[in-house]
Amino acid sequence: MHRASDQALVAGAIVEVEAYIGESDPACHAAPGPTPRNAPLYGPPGISYVYLNYGMHYLLNAVTEPEGSPAAVLIRAIAPLEGLETMRRRRGGRARVPDDAALARGPGNLGRAFGLTLRQNQLDLVASRLGIEDWGLSMAPVSWGPRIGIRVGVDRPWRCWVTGHPAVSGRPGTAVVP
DNA sequence: GAATGGATTGTCT
DNA sequence: GACAATCCATTCA
């Protein structure tokens, strides 16, 4: 995943995601039906869905299903590969980041490291400066388990992460399927 | 027009 | 382990 703003390019390998699928998924933003906020979920796939959560964190989703089928993948963490200095500067303001693996660990931290705002909402993830590409790095073993940080729909094991990777958020050892 | 609460994180006890 | 920070979409009157 990468994002270019001005001169700075930041990029990293996605190591943790969660799926939010359909109006029948109580944790999906599409659960209440179409609204102005979740409109991107109902659009074509390959488009970003960025929203502000808890009034302070910009969370990034990638819309995955054809128009009319609301579903998206929440990008929760990336392993930084490019633009480390930029990420440190953006993260550095408040608390110090102990190690590089923590620069974009967790959806809120990722949003800050990438400098995301509502302006990055509904961007084309293939053609715009915010994008997801196949870098041929997807050979690491992954684990599946319940999604975290939500109060409903926790029964769905739709969280997927690179097993044992230091840039993955949450507590280790919660895998349902190794 | 006012109240409510959330796909979070860092700090404090 | 509890809580504050902080904004907007949604809900209710």
Side-chain angles (χ1 to χ4, degrees):
Chain A
M1 185 170 80
H2 63 84
R3 157 151 161 71
S5 72
D6 302 329
Q7 306 261 342
L9 172 78
V10 292
I14 297 173
V15 295
E16 183 187 1
V17 297
E18 285 178 0
Y20 290 85
I21 309 174
E23 295 176 351
S24 60
D25 176 3
C28 182
H29 276 194
T35 66
R37 179 170 76 147
N38 65 27
L41 294 175
Y42 289 83
I47 304 297
S48 68
Y49 169 45
V50 177
Y51 77 98
L52 180 62
N53 134 78
Y54 287 95
M56 61 195 78
H57 300 299
Y58 290 98
L59 273 54
L60 171 65
N61 297 253
V63 178
T64 57
E65 295 301 303
E67 209 156 335
S69 299
V73 170
L74 168 69
I75 314 298
R76 290 188 57 91
I78 61 112
L81 292 175
E82 310 250 350
L84 284 276
E85 206 50 54
T86 303
M87 296 192 205
R88 285 193 204 98
R89 173 167 47 80
R90 288 175 176 151
R91 291 293 315 278
R94 293 161 164 69
R96 76 176 203 282
V97 181
D99 62 304
D100 291 343
L103 282 172
R105 178 167 59 200
N109 289 334
L110 187 151
R112 219 160 54 194
F114 273 66
L116 295 180
T117 70
L118 253 26
R119 289 169 37 178
Q120 276 69 245
N121 193 19
Q122 274 185 297
L123 290 183
D124 187 327
L125 291 173
V126 176
S128 75
R129 295 195 302 172
L130 171 67
I132 298 177
E133 307 164 21
D134 184 359
W135 287 8
L137 301 174
S138 53
M139 53 191 79
V142 298
S143 301
W144 290 81
R147 298 171 293 183
I148 56 182
I150 55 177
R151 308 187 71 95
V152 292
V154 289
D155 54 309
R156 292 164 170 79
W158 290 346
R159 174 170 175 255
C160 176
W161 66 95
V162 175
T163 307
H165 198 284
V168 172
S169 70
R171 310 230 63 79
T174 55
V176 171
V177 181

